[in-house]
Amino acid sequence: MDLLKGYIDLDQKSLASARGTHAEYHRKILTKLAGGNARYGCYGLAVTIFSLGIFRDLLYERALRAQPSLPLLMGTPATYFAYALLAAGNVLVLSSMWALGITGTYLGDYFGILMDAKVDSFPFNLTDAPMYYGSTMSFLGSAILYAKPAGILLTLEVLAVYLVALWFEDPFTAGIYAKREREMAGKGKKTS
């Protein structure tokens, strides 16, 4: 850690980083607030998540601006690597949003708005969580581009939060789709 001493200012308040979708699935709170329309509830959540994401990105940029730079990260190779991470990360995020649509991207399955089938085309053929990993790549690219070791530390924190979220989200989402399959199978038996 002595290597980074002087390059990460842990006293900066901006370095500190600031979830109820399960409640929507079980209690339909956002759907009720949207007049009983699940799609409107999902769109409201989408606007909220998107807006908070922009606010998060502004806080991240502000946190980086207030931090010391590491000269090792200021060279041309680091700059090219940073731009490559930013480009690849944004491709993963934007292409996954394109593949899923608004309700697929913003937790429509928690509102009962389910996809017909699991998306397995690009970028989901590379990873099951392209938005999370793409976003992490973009954070890391920004940290390197601005030559800020504190940004690398924040990127690791973002990745940890995403991994914890996946630990909860993946089984929960799989359960939603498994329930639909059981219900469809049950209806098929009743009509036979």
Side-chain angles (χ1 to χ4, degrees):
M1 273 317 246
D2 285 340
L3 174 68
L4 296 178
K5 191 172 185 175
Y7 293 105
I8 298 177
D9 184 355
L10 296 173
D11 293 328
Q12 291 289 327
K13 291 179 183 174
S14 60
L15 192 59
S17 66
R19 177 173 115 94
T21 51
H22 287 207
E24 173 58 30
Y25 179 73
H26 293 294
R27 295 183 197 89
K28 304 296 182 205
I29 294 168
L30 297 176
T31 297
K32 289 175 186 172
L33 288 172
N37 187 315
R39 193 164 293 278
Y40 290 162
C42 184
Y43 291 156
L45 180 63
V47 168
T48 302
I49 292 172
F50 187 82
S51 299
L52 288 172
I54 291 172
F55 182 66
R56 174 206 59 200
D57 293 350
L58 290 171
L59 289 176
Y60 179 78
E61 188 275 331
R62 177 175 275 172
L64 291 188
R65 194 175 341 136
Q67 291 290 320
S69 298
L70 178 65
L72 178 67
L73 297 176
M74 293 181 180
T76 302
T79 301
Y80 286 145
F81 183 61
Y83 281 125
L85 283 170
L86 285 163
N90 280 297
V91 166
L92 288 176
V93 169
L94 295 173
S95 61
S96 60
M97 290 177 79
W98 179 264
L100 294 174
I102 292 174
T103 57
T105 298
Y106 293 103
L107 306 172
D109 43 5
Y110 288 51
F111 290 82
I113 306 167
L114 304 181
M115 306 279 292
D116 293 334
K118 182 179 178 178
V119 177
D120 57 7
S121 60
F122 182 82
F124 294 92
N125 60 349
L126 299 177
T127 175
D128 285 341
M131 284 188 204
Y132 286 165
Y133 295 123
S135 178
T136 301
M137 291 168 71
S138 294
F139 279 112
L140 182 58
S142 295
I144 294 170
L145 185 63
Y146 295 126
K148 305 291 187 175
I152 296 170
L153 181 66
L154 284 174
T155 299
L156 292 173
E157 183 180 336
V158 166
L159 178 60
V161 169
Y162 285 159
L163 292 174
V164 168
L166 286 171
W167 191 55
F168 288 101
E169 285 178 7
D170 285 348
F172 190 77
T173 303
I176 292 171
Y177 282 90
K179 180 181 175 191
R180 178 183 72 173
E181 294 302 318
R182 285 191 305 273
E183 289 172 353
M184 290 173 66
K187 286 181 183 176
K189 288 181 183 177
K190 288 180 184 176
T191 59
S192 308

